[in-house]
């Protein structure tokens, strides 16, 4: 009997890439590949790259080179690039990085097993020529669903089920016709870790045309997953021991517009929260300009749906926002936050911001500072502007000197660190429900903690954590009530009150 082929998936970038990697893992496992965690123990190392900003692209190249080094020291025979950077640059990446034995685009995902076998056997697969994926689907959102089956949509994979009817049936109160056309379907996915948290892709692509962002060009136009598939995948994850699902896409506030109901998310969320075994549903990637009163109501009042708002502000000075092809201003954004906190005072809010955008004046920068000081955000990401290939902003005049961009980035980063630490201190005395994610020793500065988890206002990896000095009785996946007694920067220190039974 031939030795089983082994493959390791190395994932970089955002939670959407993590979902894509688990779909690739599902396809490979279904075709007989053995999944291993360490690339040094794999015949093929598949690096799921990020192509968002320059730093992420550098990290992707470094990961590919590191995997290539394993060919001289371990079992690894081939290194293959997939993901956003591979899709965005295709042949250009293959020529610039001959260390990669293959560069595969999204269109190769359905045939990933054959592609890897060809490369492992010494053959080659021609890297694709990048194309604008926005042009692959109709301009009108309502015409996309029927055409989407002919377009590769990573993270949307599912297979028809012959048994276990009802695994992915449509929620009872959703509009008719939104169940999977082929009947119940099982997720084409294999988990790559045992975390009690998993992301579920709600949609792919984006119809917004922000002048600094290249993502729509290689991720394509916005396409919603059918709610029956989202619900079925959530049920499947619950059976795998997942306690929290995080809904991800490039823009969750647009969910349902191509299915004939822009308010579909408000209907779907209670159905997801009702899945047996799921304790927490989180929604990420929300556009401030698209926030609806009804969506705010559902996010702040539905049991098990956390009042968490990952709002993509990017800036708050009107002139800069218009140059970014975005909407809003400081006062409107503060009003939105007041509305949210009026309904859920403990709501968590995070956002990212770009400093040094072309034409950003000192007054614009001061306006952004004013917003941050008043916004009381739980987590803040700050990025210095850099030109991205193919974006409108790359053609703008009035570029700021790099020294100015760096100074503003350093200044705002320090301010963000101070403000988020202050916001954490405001939570001292609050009672939180915390999902325990680790019972291993956590060292921070001179202090040592026995366990760590996250509260409702903290998303995985980006928003800090809750630390426990004692781990007695705590177990990964358990939900506990805890009182905040201190802080470590953005992190909270808490003591367990009781297990948070439902």
């Amino acid at each position: 009997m031939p030795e089983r082929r082994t493959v390791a998936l190395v994932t970089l970038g955002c939670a959407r890439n993590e979902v894509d990697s688990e779909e690739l893992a599902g396809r490979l496992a279904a075709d007989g590949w053995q999944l291993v965690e360490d690339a040094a123990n794999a015949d093929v190392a598949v690096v799921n790259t990020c192509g968002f900003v320059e730093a992420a692209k550098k990290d992707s190249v470094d990961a590919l080179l590191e995997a290539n080094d394993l060919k001289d020291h371990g079992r690894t025979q081939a290194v293959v690039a997939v993901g956003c950077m591979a899709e965005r640059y295709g042949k250009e990446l293959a020529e610039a990085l001959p260390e990669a034995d293959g560069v595969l685009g999204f269109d190769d995902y359905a045939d990933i097993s054959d592609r890897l076998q060809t490369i492992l056997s010494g053959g080659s697969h021609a890297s694709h020529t990048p194309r604008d994926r926005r042009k692959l689907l109709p301009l009108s959102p309502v015409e996309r669903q029927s055409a989407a089956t002919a377009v590769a949509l990573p993270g949307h994979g599912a297979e028809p089920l012959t048994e276990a009817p009802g695994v992915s049936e449509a929620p009872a109160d959703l509009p008719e016709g939104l169940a999977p056309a082929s009947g119940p379907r099982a997720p084409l996915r294999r988990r790559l870790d045992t975390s009690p948290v998993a992301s579920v892709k709600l949609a792919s692509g984006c119809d917004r045309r922000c002048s600094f962002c290249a993502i729509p060009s290689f991720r394509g136009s916005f396409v919603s997953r059918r709610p029956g598939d989202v619900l079925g995948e959530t049920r499947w994850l619950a059976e795998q021991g997942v306690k929290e699902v995080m809904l991800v896409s490039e823009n969750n506030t647009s969910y349902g517009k191509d299915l004939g109901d822009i308010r579909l998310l408000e209907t779907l969320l209670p159905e997801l929260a009702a899945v047996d075994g799921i304790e927490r549903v989180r929604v990420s990637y929300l556009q401030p300009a698209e926030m609806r009163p009804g969506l705010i109501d559902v996010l702040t009042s539905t049991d098990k749906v956390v009042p968490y708002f990952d709002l993509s502000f990017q800036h708050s000075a009107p002139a800069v926002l218009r140059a970014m092809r975005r909407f809003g201003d400081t006062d409107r954004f503060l009003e939105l936050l007041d509305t949210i906190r009026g309904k859920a005072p403990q709501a968590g809010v995070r956002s990212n911001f770009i400093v040094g955008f072309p034409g950003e004046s000192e007054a614009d920068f001061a306006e952004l500072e004013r917003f941050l000081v008043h916004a009381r955000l739980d987590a803040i990401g700050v990025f210095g502007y850099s030109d991205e290939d193919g974006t409108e902003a790359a053609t703008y005049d009035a570029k700021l000197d790099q020294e100015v961009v760096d100074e503003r980035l350093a200044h705002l980063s320090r301010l963000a660190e101070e403000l988020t630490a202050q916001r954490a201190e405001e939570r001292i005395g609050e009672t939180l429900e915390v999902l325990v994610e680790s019972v291993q020793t956590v060292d921070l500065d001179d202090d040592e903690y026995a366990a760590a988890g996250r509260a409702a206002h903290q998303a995985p990896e980006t928003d800090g954590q809750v630390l426990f000095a004692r781990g007695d009785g705590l177990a990964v996946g358990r939900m506990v009530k805890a009182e905040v007694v201190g802080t470590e920067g953005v992190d909270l220190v808490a003591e367990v009150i009781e297990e948070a039974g439902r």
Side-chain angles (χ1 to χ4, degrees), residues 17 46-52 57 60-61 64 80-94 97 100 102-109 126-131 133 218-219:
N17 255 17
V46 177
V47 180
N48 192 347
T49 61
C50 179
F52 180 40
K57 288 183 278 190
S60 296
V61 170
L64 287 163
V80 175
V82 299
C84 292
M85 191 176 180
E87 173 64 36
R88 186 176 180 184
Y89 294 104
K91 290 182 177 180
E92 182 182 345
L93 177 62
L97 197 68
V103 175
L104 306 181
F106 297 151
D107 293 335
D108 292 307
Y109 281 22
S127 302
H128 73 290
T129 300
R131 51 182 175 168
R133 297 191 73 87
F218 57 85
R219 278 288 184 179

Side-chain angles (χ1 to χ4, degrees), residues 179-202:
S182 59
R185 305 205 295 175
L188 191 59
R189 180 171 180 173
R190 175 68 65 91
R191 297 215 68 204
L192 294 174
D193 60 41
T194 57
S195 169
V197 184
S199 296
V200 174
K201 191 166 283 191
L202 195 62

Side-chain angles (χ1 to χ4, degrees), residues 29 34 47 50 52 75 95 118 130 150 161 176 236 261 286 299 341 446 455 486 489 497:
Q34 180 181 351
V47 180
C50 179
F52 180 40
R75 174 172 177 164
E95 292 170 359
T118 296
L161 284 174
E176 292 184 7
W236 178 81
D261 185 1
L286 300 169
L299 288 171
R341 289 176 176 138
D446 297 327
I497 299 174

Side-chain angles (χ1 to χ4, degrees), residues 354-369:
I354 299 173
V355 298
F357 194 79
E360 181 190 63
S361 66
E362 291 185 5
D364 293 329
F365 186 65
E367 183 69 358
L368 176 55
E369 286 186 282

